[in-house]
Amino acid sequence: MKKGCRYNCVPTTSTTTGCLCACLSGCSQPLLELVQQAPWISWPKISWLLFVFFSSDIEISRAQSPKAVDVLAKEIGLLTDEIEIYGQTKAKVRLSLLERLKDQPDGKYVLVAGITPTPLGEGKSTVTIGLVQALTAHLNINSFACLRQPSQGPTFGVKGGAAGGGYAQVIPMEEFNLHLTGDIHAITAANNLLAAAIDARILHENTQSDKSLYNRLVPVVNGVRGFSAIQLARLRRLGISKTDPETLTEEEISKFVRLDIDPSTITWQRVVDTNDRFLRKITVGQANTEKGLVRQAQFDIAVASEIMAILALTTSLQDMKERLGKMVVANDKKGEPVTAEDLGVTGALAVLMKDAIKPTLMQTLEGTPVFVHAGPFANIAHGNSSVLADKIALKLVGEKGFVVTEAGFGADIGMEKFFNIKCRASGLVPSVVVLVATVRALKMHGGGPNVTAGAPLKKEYTEENLQLVADGCCNLQKQIQITQLFGVPVVVALNVFKTDSPAEVDLVCKIAKESGAFDAVPCNHWSAGGRGAVKLAQAVEKAANQKNSFKYLYNLELPIVEKIRIIAQKVYGAQDVELSPIAQSQVDRYTRQGFGNLPICMAKTHLSLSHQPERKGVPTGFILPISDVRASIGAGFIYPLVGTMSTMPGLPTRPCFYDIDLDPITEQVKGLF
Amino acid sequence: MKKGCRYNCVPTTSTTTGCLCACLSGCSQPLLELVQQAPWISWPKISWLLFVFFSSDIEISRAQSPKAVDVLAKEIGLLTDEIEIYGQTKAKVRLSLLERLKDQPDGKYVLVAGITPTPLGEGKSTVTIGLVQALTAHLNINSFACLRQPSQGPTFGVKGGAAGGGYAQVIPMEEFNLHLTGDIHAITAANNLLAAAIDARILHENTQSDKSLYNRLVPVVNGVRGFSAIQLARLRRLGISKTDPETLTEEEISKFVRLDIDPSTITWQRVVDTNDRFLRKITVGQANTEKGLVRQAQFDIAVASEIMAILALTTSLQDMKERLGKMVVANDKKGEPVTAEDLGVTGALAVLMKDAIKPTLMQTLEGTPVFVHAGPFANIAHGNSSVLADKIALKLVGEKGFVVTEAGFGADIGMEKFFNIKCRASGLVPSVVVLVATVRALKMHGGGPNVTAGAPLKKEYTEENLQLVADGCCNLQKQIQITQLFGVPVVVALNVFKTDSPAEVDLVCKIAKESGAFDAVPCNHWSAGGRGAVKLAQAVEKAANQKNSFKYLYNLELPIVEKIRIIAQKVYGAQDVELSPIAQSQVDRYTRQGFGNLPICMAKTHLSLSHQPERKGVPTGFILPISDVRASIGAGFIYPLVGTMSTMPGLPTRPCFYDIDLDPITEQVKGLF
């Protein structure tokens, strides 16, 4: 076994009696088998290199030459003018395709979710990639994986890359993990332009008379004075139908020029795509030029921006622009919401986001297509990739094809939001849920010792322990039940590690099936690529033909607190919820402002079904504390904070970047994993 | 004359008796003439649209369909594997080209500089574009324009776009003005990763013992404990030759794990590419998780980052990586410099910048090639586009071709830094300086009233006033003399506006020639495209064949203060310089640390030859105050601050974004100019 090969090379399924690691022992058969012709794939030159000493994720990624993205695009039926190529291996896909294929029936829609994970993650991304590799490269069925773009913060902090792993990866993984096609940078730019506009506006309103503000906001240009389009829209919202700037009364001018933002109500924060813990709480405006208008603020990680959520949920350019304009950034001194549109910045935000709205096409290690688009975290945001990528992919795969999309963290977190928020925005109906489990995580839920990133695993996790597995299956059972609340068939994918014993694997599959799963299948995609997920693919295909009675968990018309309670009780298993006075007053405010009918996006730890990360298994009898409630009006959800949730990760003592390097001669990236 | 056409359509040169505006009066002759075949251009389909009502810069830009960038790349001799296409109209060019063409002689190297400008700018970018359009599309001479990438801060703040203007533009201008190929975003990401690493490191050193730090910095992974490459390099710098982590003494461990950064000496600031004035002075670290380690800090505009300066000055990937590692971010408590390399982040920064190092290929309105690469401001940084873009372009145009590059603001600012900093880094010798002047700016220097952005021009600027022009030519004369200090021939390009009288134009050209310019030529590229700059191109061609005795202004071996004094006296015309105590102590510190032999990058207002923006013409008798001195060791210069220089612009009451919009149906951008 080589460095970096963490999983079982001789797994329980006889079709995968070797993995590429086998080349160490001289067996090249698995390599040849692996390189099977897929319906979309024409590899004139398969360039698997010899892995003798190394097989870290990035080395595996690099050893496979990706096909040119224009070739891939052609294979999957995209027209030349429907793609915008970014280098050799990435392309943005134009939304015009949705219009061209509007009469084409959608493919099957598969969601990959998980049980409550350890801090190491249980391999949902590798399952997603392994599954599409199996479907397309091994079963000749069209498929598409739709993934989230990873944040660069964790990439250079503690997590490393997020392109999958082993022989189930998106390649080139360094392109996937770095700037990609700039979408998160565009979000950062748009988010921070709005933030700068808020504070600058407060400053200018504080230091100028109505008349002076009016003269500056509506200046005479080439002898003519006129309102801009966005100013005319504001006048209409204020009930002023005049269009000639010279005819406004003093009172109308005052209403028009003063947003009168109450600085204590600003909810719009600045963002960076860096793990910068010192920006968690800051004071801004301390230079003399800002005239003493200091206030406390914070930076969030860029993927926590509401603009990221909008990117993930929008259905068109028109829809995105409307959502951007509706974003509420603060209240005025009368308690009314102030929006991006009020600040005059909607058009500029849309311009900054005009390319980000197009999904990015990449490929798996086995040459099958992948969309990478949007990347909200699942604990502090809704944790799903974009509606647009899924919609386009569903058209491209055709009626018999499969689109596999992924929801962050456990099913209680990412999946619940997938159904109640994303499916509501898209109108799409999922066919199957794949629930990813590992023996490691189940042992933790069964009472095993703490699992910590960076520390070696305790022996409970490396030796057979059927009791721990059996006890921990309660979490799997609960997550299956949560899935069933939504009426969609569930297939359990057991992501097999080399330390898992056959008896442990069998036990998990048995309990999963007894708990209501349509099927439960061990998977070995990490070590064997798509071949290691063929059984999973077959199970998913069968499940997709099952009766499907998909339903949302709650009606939007219910009061905000009632919707929170339904999620807390039915999904998390809480006895009840308890709102802090701040949370309650925010609920009252949003209800009064007319935002009560939005779905709920819980910000909760992903490490437990409850709000307490240390409570594993299936906690019961707890009261879920709601410390605050916020609203993302543009994205379209109410966003309760469960306990304390950090929106800015930090750098550890030894960040990942210690191992990351660039060879200046070969231009190869080292140390991403 | 249509909306947006600010210049003279019937200028003094008979070859440009019409401009595209003439289509209003039914004359299409100029359009046809303009669309002339260039040596590199094959336009199968010229799609000039009818301009009947509109001709803003963005509308002119949009009316011309750019040729596909791969076609352009082929025309100029690039191989298929030497470009990375980004959409239809942009491509990054690989540095491997420099190796392939290393035996090809360089073309002529032309710098476009200016006189001391008004706050409106005098059109250096349009001259640069007009000149290459004239050279290539009208005189059949190979040429390349090398431009800086504009910061999005001013684009959405007060300035608008920077793609040139009228019929001398880079197209598509919205691509040029927005994210381009993500270089500034990459700089922001790299800059802020380093900033986060500094504060996080201080926190971890403050809260852990030597042993705990060591265990975390050099962890046991899979049973093995080893130093990473960058840690071994640090050990060598500390004089520790051991490579086995188990053999270090306690004292060696302490030396290794503690950077011991003195927070009060941190010079590395965070950046955003947004005009966010409330970040000029902030307090960071106020969350409980940061254990009271609050400190005052600031955000600069992204283009002020040292990483931007490095991008502009680097000559290869290897050189960039070395420069990134050498960046000094603070001192330790003993007064020794702490570098990015000490923080272990060099490789990660290089990885983040691996694509940004490749220049971006675009085209002018007349289909001639343009490189856009790097964009440091000229007042707070060195104000020049990249050495690499110039070097590649000089190879591509061939011996008889021309590369036209631009230095920011007046010749006292951008040009002085071009010669003393950029030419030192590149080893290139410029052939000609084009000095751009306008009658408007000369009248201001002659005593005309204030010129303010947004306010209508006073009548002195719209009516003939030969006396003001004559008096103001002192500034032009002085800037010619500054150019002559460097031994390079200078051609004055008078950027003609429609309000300039023939007598004013003649007077400026006469005085310019009497003051030592090789030639002085009125230009009408704004209204007439390349055709309006043909005479300029001819003058530049002649000047390039003149004797050239290029020399630097000062020896690097001189003491720092002496070098500052030479610039102040010989270039600015100061009587002397005066260093604040802080500035003096910084000079002493840098000299002691071994950084005394670097060139000088003055941070000075661009609105006057002196440090006082209101002093126009040629101020004399002033003492130049140096308030502080900083060092950009990676970029390779010492950086004195003349008076107070803001490194973060602000948003005005009515930012540009009020007019910027996106049509969601056509996907067209409106309101960029």
Side-chain angles (χ1 to χ4, degrees):
Chain A
M1 199 58 49
K2 287 158 301 164
K3 178 185 149 198
C5 188
R6 299 171 294 184
Y7 293 70
N8 192 357
C9 284
V10 190
T12 52
T13 54
S14 60
T15 50
T16 52
T17 46
C19 78
L20 285 189
C21 299
C23 62
L24 244 194
S25 56
C27 167
S28 64
Q29 187 59 24
L31 278 84
L32 299 175
E33 283 181 327
L34 194 68
V35 180
Q36 213 170 267
Q37 196 75 4
W40 292 344
I41 301 171
S42 98
W43 289 343
K45 222 176 63 185
I46 304 290
S47 59
W48 286 108
L49 300 184
L50 281 173
F51 291 109
V52 181
F53 295 112
F54 305 106
S55 67
S56 71
D57 288 350
I58 195 163
E59 285 148 353
I60 295 170
S61 166
R62 190 176 303 136
Q64 170 62 304
S65 302
K67 64 185 125 187
V69 72
D70 53 341
V71 173
L72 173 67
K74 209 170 163 187
E75 285 172 2
I76 62 173
L78 289 164
L79 306 181
T80 311
D81 65 357
E82 286 172 346
I83 59 166
E84 293 167 6
I85 288 173
Y86 281 61
Q88 301 298 307
T89 55
K90 298 171 291 183
K92 283 202 165 279
V93 174
R94 297 214 178 112
L95 306 188
S96 59
L97 185 122
L98 280 174
E99 179 59 26
R100 175 169 70 86
L101 298 182
K102 66 176 189 294
D103 298 326
Q104 162 102 2
D106 282 351
K108 307 284 187 187
Y109 194 29
V110 178
L111 178 75
V112 176
I115 63 167
T116 304
T118 71
L120 309 177
E122 308 317 310
K124 276 198 313 294
S125 298
T126 63
V127 169
T128 303
I129 304 295
L131 177 54
V132 293
Q133 289 181 171
L135 282 165
T136 300
H138 300 267
L139 298 178
N140 287 0
I141 297 168
N142 284 353
S143 77
F144 232 108
C146 291
L147 297 181
R148 286 169 294 164
Q149 180 187 357
S151 162
Q152 282 184 171
T155 301
F156 290 97
V158 291
K159 187 180 177 187
Y167 292 91
Q169 285 192 51
V170 180
I171 58 169
M173 72 101 88
E174 61 270 41
E175 297 298 321
F176 178 87
N177 284 316
L178 297 171
H179 311 287
L180 199 68
T181 48
D183 297 351
I184 293 182
H185 295 321
I187 289 165
T188 304
N191 184 98
N192 291 347
L193 178 61
L194 179 52
I198 296 166
D199 279 313
R201 182 62 177 248
I202 293 173
L203 173 78
H204 293 304
E205 288 190 24
N206 257 277
T207 52
Q208 290 175 51
S209 66
D210 286 1
K211 193 179 158 198
S212 159
L213 282 170
Y214 195 57
N215 285 341
R216 287 200 166 90
L217 284 168
V218 194
V220 177
V221 178
N222 298 332
V224 182
R225 190 171 197 177
F227 293 112
S228 70
I230 203 162
Q231 290 177 327
L232 286 170
R234 176 165 162 77
L235 285 173
R236 285 193 296 273
R237 283 198 306 286
L238 294 173
I240 302 169
S241 57
K242 299 174 184 174
T243 56
D244 177 358
E246 304 300 346
T247 60
L248 265 64
T249 64
E250 276 189 22
E251 196 192 340
E252 285 169 338
I253 286 174
S254 183
K255 264 168 88 176
F256 173 74
V257 299
R258 296 211 173 267
L259 301 183
D260 223 15
I261 293 169
D262 175 354
S264 72
T265 65
I266 296 174
T267 48
W268 195 260
Q269 305 297 353
R270 291 165 176 88
V271 300
V272 280
D273 192 29
T274 310
N275 282 12
D276 193 348
R277 51 190 298 160
F278 275 68
L279 299 180
R280 283 172 183 162
K281 199 194 237 182
I282 63 173
T283 301
V284 301
Q286 294 179 312
N288 291 337
T289 48
E290 278 55 72
K291 323 273 184 198
L293 289 171
V294 298
R295 67 181 185 89
Q296 208 150 67
Q298 70 191 52
F299 274 73
D300 295 336
I301 187 92
V303 293
S305 169
E306 181 174 350
I307 298 178
M308 173 60 94
I310 289 177
L311 180 68
L313 292 170
T314 191
T315 51
S316 70
L317 209 48
Q318 175 70 41
D319 173 71
M320 181 175 75
K321 195 174 149 186
E322 282 166 15
R323 286 171 179 267
L324 291 169
K326 283 196 293 192
M327 295 187 301
V328 172
V329 299
N331 293 316
D332 65 18
K333 288 174 185 155
K334 290 184 190 135
E336 295 303 311
V338 177
T339 63
E341 178 82 5
D342 289 323
L343 284 152
V345 74
T346 309
L349 300 183
V351 164
L352 282 166
M353 293 292 294
K354 76 181 176 61
D355 294 314
I357 198 173
K358 302 166 197 161
T360 297
L361 176 67
M362 291 189 73
Q363 65 194 280
T364 67
L365 204 55
E366 298 186 42
T368 72
V370 176
F371 273 143
V372 190
H373 203 213
F377 284 170
N379 49 358
I380 53 172
H382 80 283
N384 282 270
S385 67
S386 83
V387 164
L388 278 168
D390 290 358
K391 284 199 163 202
I392 294 174
L394 284 165
K395 294 297 179 197
L396 286 172
V397 296
E399 196 167 6
K400 292 186 175 164
F402 283 77
V403 171
V404 184
T405 191
E406 182 196 342
F409 297 129
D412 55 315
I413 306 269
M415 186 191 73
E416 181 272 311
K417 295 171 186 173
F418 172 82
F419 286 131
N420 285 318
I421 299 175
K422 184 174 173 182
C423 287
R424 272 199 168 97
S426 70
L428 296 171
V429 175
S431 314
V432 183
V433 168
V434 172
L435 199 63
V436 178
T438 60
V439 167
R440 178 177 69 194
L442 292 170
K443 285 177 170 173
M444 176 189 75
H445 289 298
N450 271 349
V451 176
T452 319
L457 280 174
K458 296 273 170 19
K459 73 171 177 10
E460 285 82 350
Y461 296 102
T462 54
E463 296 170 4
E464 183 177 281
N465 190 326
L466 292 168
Q467 191 58 50
L468 279 183
V469 173
D471 290 349
C473 276
C474 60
N475 186 274
L476 174 60
Q477 195 169 28
K478 169 71 179 164
Q479 299 282 16
I480 292 170
Q481 286 162 1
I482 294 171
T483 311
Q484 289 173 327
L485 290 175
F486 297 89
V488 179
V490 53
V491 173
V492 170
L494 182 65
N495 189 12
V496 179
F497 292 18
K498 74 169 179 180
T499 47
D500 300 347
S501 80
E504 287 174 332
V505 169
D506 289 346
L507 179 63
V508 175
C509 293
K510 180 171 156 283
I511 296 178
K513 282 185 263 193
E514 287 168 4
S515 306
F518 172 78
D519 203 347
V521 189
C523 308
N524 300 279
H525 44 272
W526 197 94
S527 56
R531 177 165 296 274
V534 164
K535 292 219 161 175
L536 174 66
Q538 287 163 337
V540 167
E541 202 192 355
K542 265 190 218 149
N545 293 320
Q546 292 303 295
K547 190 174 154 293
N548 183 326
S549 49
F550 173 62
K551 56 181 177 293
Y552 303 125
L553 189 65
Y554 50 79
N555 286 328
L556 293 181
E557 290 68 32
L558 291 172
I560 292 173
V561 176
E562 197 45 43
K563 287 181 277 196
I564 297 174
R565 184 174 288 117
I566 288 172
I567 296 169
Q569 292 179 334
K570 293 201 178 170
V571 178
Y572 306 157
Q575 199 179 313
D576 202 351
V577 296
E578 187 171 49
L579 275 70
S580 72
I582 290 175
Q584 187 59 58
S585 76
Q586 289 290 84
V587 166
D588 296 342
R589 180 195 300 270
Y590 294 135
T591 307
R592 196 180 63 240
Q593 290 178 342
F595 304 135
N597 286 351
L598 293 172
I600 304 297
C601 181
M602 303 291 280
K604 183 185 81 74
T605 178
H606 58 288
L607 295 170
S608 169
L609 282 157
S610 77
H611 56 287
Q612 292 159 306
E614 65 285 1
R615 294 189 70 179
K616 305 300 182 187
V618 182
T620 52
F622 58 94
I623 308 284
L624 196 79
I626 309 296
S627 58
D628 200 352
V629 175
R630 298 189 190 147
S632 292
I633 302 303
F637 52 68
I638 297 291
Y639 154 40
L641 302 182
V642 181
T644 317
M645 290 298 299
S646 171
T647 47
M648 174 56 86
L651 289 175
T653 306
R654 187 187 194 283
C656 294
F657 61 62
Y658 266 90
D659 299 308
I660 296 175
D661 203 0
L662 182 74
D663 184 318
I665 307 303
T666 63
E667 299 186 21
Q668 284 189 341
V669 176
K670 302 178 201 169
L672 274 177
F673 58 90
Chain B
M1 198 59 47
K2 287 159 299 166
K3 178 183 148 198
C5 188
R6 299 171 295 184
Y7 293 70
N8 193 355
C9 283
V10 191
T12 53
T13 54
S14 61
T15 50
T16 52
T17 45
C19 78
L20 285 189
C21 300
C23 62
L24 245 194
S25 55
C27 167
S28 63
Q29 186 60 22
L31 279 83
L32 300 174
E33 283 182 328
L34 194 68
V35 182
Q36 217 169 261
Q37 196 75 4
W40 293 343
I41 301 171
S42 99
W43 288 343
K45 221 175 66 185
I46 305 290
S47 61
W48 288 107
L49 301 182
L50 282 174
F51 291 109
V52 181
F53 295 113
F54 305 106
S55 67
S56 72
D57 289 350
I58 195 161
E59 285 148 354
I60 294 171
S61 166
R62 189 177 302 137
Q64 170 63 301
S65 303
K67 65 185 124 186
V69 71
D70 54 340
V71 173
L72 174 68
K74 209 171 163 187
E75 285 172 2
I76 63 172
L78 290 163
L79 306 180
T80 311
D81 65 357
E82 286 171 347
I83 58 167
E84 293 167 6
I85 289 173
Y86 281 60
Q88 301 299 307
T89 55
K90 299 172 289 183
K92 282 200 165 282
V93 173
R94 297 215 176 110
L95 306 188
S96 57
L97 185 122
L98 280 174
E99 180 58 27
R100 175 171 69 85
L101 297 182
K102 66 176 188 295
D103 298 326
Q104 162 103 2
D106 283 351
K108 307 285 187 185
Y109 194 29
V110 179
L111 178 75
V112 176
I115 62 167
T116 305
T118 70
L120 309 178
E122 308 317 310
K124 279 199 311 295
S125 298
T126 61
V127 169
T128 304
I129 304 297
L131 176 54
V132 293
Q133 289 182 170
L135 282 164
T136 301
H138 299 267
L139 298 178
N140 287 0
I141 298 167
N142 284 353
S143 76
F144 233 109
C146 291
L147 296 181
R148 288 171 291 164
Q149 181 187 356
S151 162
Q152 281 184 172
T155 300
F156 290 97
V158 289
K159 189 180 174 187
Y167 291 91
Q169 284 193 52
V170 181
I171 57 170
M173 71 102 88
E174 62 269 40
E175 297 298 320
F176 178 88
N177 284 316
L178 296 171
H179 311 288
L180 199 70
T181 49
D183 297 351
I184 294 182
H185 296 321
I187 289 165
T188 304
N191 184 97
N192 291 347
L193 179 62
L194 179 52
I198 296 166
D199 279 312
R201 182 62 176 249
I202 293 173
L203 173 78
H204 293 304
E205 288 190 25
N206 256 278
T207 51
Q208 291 175 52
S209 66
D210 287 0
K211 194 179 158 200
S212 159
L213 281 170
Y214 195 57
N215 285 342
R216 287 201 166 89
L217 284 169
V218 194
V220 178
V221 178
N222 298 332
V224 182
R225 188 171 197 178
F227 293 112
S228 70
I230 203 161
Q231 291 178 328
L232 287 169
R234 174 164 163 79
L235 285 172
R236 285 193 295 275
R237 284 197 305 285
L238 294 172
I240 303 169
S241 58
K242 300 173 183 173
T243 56
D244 177 359
E246 305 298 347
T247 60
L248 264 63
T249 65
E250 276 188 23
E251 196 192 338
E252 286 169 338
I253 286 174
S254 183
K255 263 169 87 175
F256 172 74
V257 300
R258 296 210 175 266
L259 302 184
D260 224 14
I261 292 169
D262 176 353
S264 72
T265 65
I266 296 173
T267 48
W268 195 261
Q269 305 297 351
R270 292 165 175 88
V271 300
V272 278
D273 192 28
T274 310
N275 283 12
D276 194 348
R277 50 190 299 161
F278 275 68
L279 299 180
R280 284 172 182 161
K281 199 193 240 183
I282 62 173
T283 301
V284 300
Q286 295 180 310
N288 290 338
T289 48
E290 278 54 72
K291 323 274 185 198
L293 289 171
V294 298
R295 69 179 184 89
Q296 208 150 66
Q298 70 191 54
F299 274 72
D300 295 335
I301 187 93
V303 292
S305 169
E306 181 173 351
I307 298 179
M308 173 59 94
I310 289 177
L311 180 68
L313 291 169
T314 191
T315 52
S316 69
L317 209 48
Q318 175 70 41
D319 172 73
M320 181 176 74
K321 195 174 148 186
E322 283 166 14
R323 287 172 179 266
L324 291 170
K326 282 196 295 191
M327 295 186 302
V328 172
V329 300
N331 293 315
D332 65 19
K333 286 173 187 157
K334 290 183 190 135
E336 294 304 312
V338 177
T339 64
E341 178 81 7
D342 290 322
L343 284 152
V345 73
T346 310
L349 300 183
V351 164
L352 283 166
M353 292 292 294
K354 77 181 175 60
D355 294 315
I357 198 173
K358 301 166 198 162
T360 297
L361 177 66
M362 291 189 74
Q363 64 193 282
T364 66
L365 204 56
E366 298 186 41
T368 73
V370 176
F371 273 143
V372 190
H373 203 213
F377 284 171
N379 49 357
I380 53 173
H382 80 284
N384 282 269
S385 68
S386 85
V387 164
L388 279 167
D390 291 358
K391 284 198 163 200
I392 294 173
L394 283 165
K395 293 297 180 198
L396 285 171
V397 295
E399 196 168 6
K400 292 188 176 162
F402 283 77
V403 171
V404 185
T405 191
E406 182 197 341
F409 296 130
D412 54 314
I413 307 266
M415 186 192 73
E416 182 273 311
K417 296 171 186 173
F418 173 81
F419 286 130
N420 285 318
I421 299 174
K422 184 174 174 182
C423 288
R424 272 199 168 97
S426 69
L428 297 171
V429 174
S431 313
V432 182
V433 169
V434 172
L435 199 63
V436 178
T438 59
V439 167
R440 177 177 71 194
L442 292 171
K443 284 177 173 175
M444 177 189 73
H445 290 297
N450 272 349
V451 176
T452 320
L457 280 174
K458 296 274 173 17
K459 73 171 179 7
E460 284 82 351
Y461 296 101
T462 54
E463 295 171 3
E464 182 176 281
N465 190 325
L466 291 168
Q467 191 57 51
L468 280 182
V469 173
D471 291 348
C473 276
C474 59
N475 186 275
L476 174 61
Q477 194 168 30
K478 169 71 178 165
Q479 299 281 18
I480 292 171
Q481 287 162 2
I482 294 171
T483 311
Q484 289 172 328
L485 289 174
F486 296 90
V488 180
V490 53
V491 173
V492 170
L494 182 65
N495 190 12
V496 178
F497 291 18
K498 73 170 179 178
T499 46
D500 301 346
S501 79
E504 287 173 334
V505 169
D506 289 345
L507 179 63
V508 176
C509 292
K510 178 170 159 280
I511 295 176
K513 282 186 262 194
E514 286 168 2
S515 306
F518 173 77
D519 203 348
V521 188
C523 307
N524 300 280
H525 43 273
W526 198 94
S527 55
R531 176 165 295 275
V534 165
K535 291 220 159 172
L536 174 66
Q538 287 163 337
V540 166
E541 202 192 356
K542 266 191 216 148
N545 293 321
Q546 293 302 295
K547 188 174 156 296
N548 183 326
S549 48
F550 173 61
K551 56 183 178 292
Y552 303 125
L553 189 66
Y554 51 79
N555 286 328
L556 292 181
E557 291 68 31
L558 291 172
I560 292 173
V561 176
E562 198 43 44
K563 287 182 278 196
I564 296 174
R565 185 173 288 116
I566 288 172
I567 296 169
Q569 292 179 333
K570 292 202 180 169
V571 177
Y572 307 158
Q575 198 180 315
D576 203 350
V577 296
E578 187 170 50
L579 275 69
S580 72
I582 291 176
Q584 187 58 57
S585 76
Q586 289 290 83
V587 167
D588 297 343
R589 179 195 299 269
Y590 293 135
T591 306
R592 195 179 65 239
Q593 290 178 341
F595 303 135
N597 286 350
L598 293 173
I600 304 298
C601 181
M602 303 291 280
K604 182 183 82 73
T605 179
H606 57 288
L607 296 170
S608 169
L609 281 157
S610 77
H611 56 288
Q612 293 158 305
E614 65 285 1
R615 294 188 69 180
K616 304 301 181 187
V618 182
T620 53
F622 59 94
I623 308 284
L624 196 79
I626 308 296
S627 58
D628 200 351
V629 176
R630 298 190 189 146
S632 292
I633 302 304
F637 52 68
I638 298 290
Y639 152 41
L641 302 182
V642 181
T644 318
M645 288 298 300
S646 172
T647 47
M648 175 56 86
L651 289 176
T653 305
R654 186 188 196 282
C656 295
F657 61 62
Y658 267 91
D659 299 308
I660 296 174
D661 203 358
L662 182 74
D663 183 319
I665 307 302
T666 63
E667 299 185 23
Q668 283 190 342
V669 175
K670 302 178 203 168
L672 274 177
F673 56 89

